[in-house]
Amino acid sequence: GESVGLHLPTLSVQEGDNSIINCAYSNSASDYFIWYKQESGKGPQFIIDIRSNMDKRQGQRVTVLLNKTVKHLSLQIAATQPGDSAVYFCAENIYGNNRLAFGKGNQVVVIP
Amino acid sequence: GEEVAQTPKHLVRGEGQKAKLYCAPIKGHSYVFWYQQVLKNEFKFLISFQNENVFDETGMPKERFSAKCLPNSPCSLEIQATKLEDSAVYFCASSRPGQGRDEQYFGPGTRLTVT
């Protein structure tokens, strides 16, 4: 199969609980960060973004935290639902360069 | 359209054959990006366009890969003489004017299998 030999970090979470996914980014010059959700067989779907002049941003049921000191990004999902089961990717972008550099995926499995 | 469209959904090629993938960005978006995803894991940036002009091609394996975005036509990514290692899902994304630093909207991808 297509995922033979691939083991993504996996977070198993009970439905209704909160989830936290972490990401370490590599480039201290990055100033724009995005979290994407990828469901099986689909393209990445935008969840939330944050610019480097902020350290926290909230959306609907999601919060992104940015710690530039340690180059760390996290995504918090409140009251996780079965539809949140997917692979989550963080991506970074450097001013003046519009390409995204993606981190490794984190699989979230929601247990009903 | 309101979504990025990619065709075909699946493409199978024998090693050494040519592969051509197509992408129609969202109407009004001026930036187009191509990414390669191997084994459902990390995405590798290949190339970006601002309208029909190449904006950044630093990710392209230039010997065999080429891409175009011509006016009034879908964008295309072509691989000459495919190799087994080219097997991957190729995603196209587009974004609004604004130096491409707005949200990138991704298409459903084209799965290329080289046998």
Side-chain angles (χ1 to χ4, degrees):
Chain A
E2 63 194 22
S3 61
V4 170
L6 176 68
H7 296 284
L8 292 171
T10 300
L11 173 68
S12 295
V13 59
Q14 206 71 37
E15 183 179 357
D17 286 353
N18 298 334
S19 305
I20 299 177
I21 308 161
N22 296 302
C23 174
Y25 64 92
S26 56
N27 196 326
S28 54
S30 295
D31 65 345
Y32 178 53
F33 305 88
I34 312 103
W35 279 101
Y36 281 95
K37 171 186 179 183
Q38 187 179 28
E39 296 174 281
S40 184
K42 296 184 178 180
Q45 177 188 356
F46 174 92
I47 301 173
I48 192 168
D49 60 3
I50 188 167
R51 299 194 186 268
S52 60
N53 61 350
M54 303 172 72
D55 52 23
K56 180 179 179 179
R57 189 160 187 231
Q58 288 185 288
Q60 190 175 17
R61 283 202 306 118
V62 293
T63 301
V64 55
L65 299 176
L66 174 64
N67 185 331
K68 296 182 287 293
T69 304
V70 294
K71 292 191 287 187
H72 184 267
L73 196 65
S74 68
L75 178 70
Q76 300 175 2
I77 306 173
T80 314
Q81 301 170 359
D84 295 328
S85 292
V87 179
Y88 291 79
F89 292 89
C90 65
E92 60 186 295
N93 176 261
I94 302 168
Y95 183 78
N97 180 333
N98 65 357
R99 69 176 178 266
L100 293 176
F102 283 80
K104 295 186 192 299
N106 284 267
Q107 179 131 36
V108 171
V109 176
V110 181
I111 304 163
Chain B
E2 293 296 319
E3 295 181 337
V4 176
Q6 289 190 248
T7 55
K9 192 168 183 177
H10 301 280
L11 190 58
V12 180
R13 288 288 180 267
E15 208 172 0
Q17 291 185 317
K18 184 173 74 176
K20 195 164 185 178
L21 292 62
Y22 297 92
C23 167
I26 294 172
K27 193 174 181 181
H29 284 195
S30 53
Y31 285 88
V32 171
F33 308 81
W34 285 98
Y35 294 89
Q36 177 195 58
Q37 186 184 30
V38 178
L39 289 178
K40 298 172 90 173
N41 203 356
E42 292 179 56
F43 293 80
K44 179 190 172 190
F45 168 80
L46 295 175
I47 190 169
S48 63
F49 288 84
Q50 181 180 16
N51 298 310
E52 62 268 24
N53 303 308
V54 174
F55 189 84
D56 181 352
E57 58 181 345
T58 52
M60 285 285 269
K62 290 182 184 168
E63 319 80 62
R64 298 182 297 108
F65 284 59
S66 62
K68 293 179 186 176
C69 275
L70 300 175
N72 303 313
S73 297
C75 296
S76 63
L77 176 69
E78 189 168 340
I79 309 173
Q80 302 284 343
T82 52
K83 298 183 178 181
L84 296 175
E85 69 215 43
D86 298 331
S87 293
V89 182
Y90 291 82
F91 287 100
C92 174
S94 69
S95 68
R96 288 180 289 261
Q99 300 175 4
R101 288 171 56 75
D102 286 317
E103 175 187 346
Q104 293 185 19
Y105 294 79
F106 282 77
T110 292
R111 177 175 300 282
L112 172 65
T113 302
V114 181
T115 61

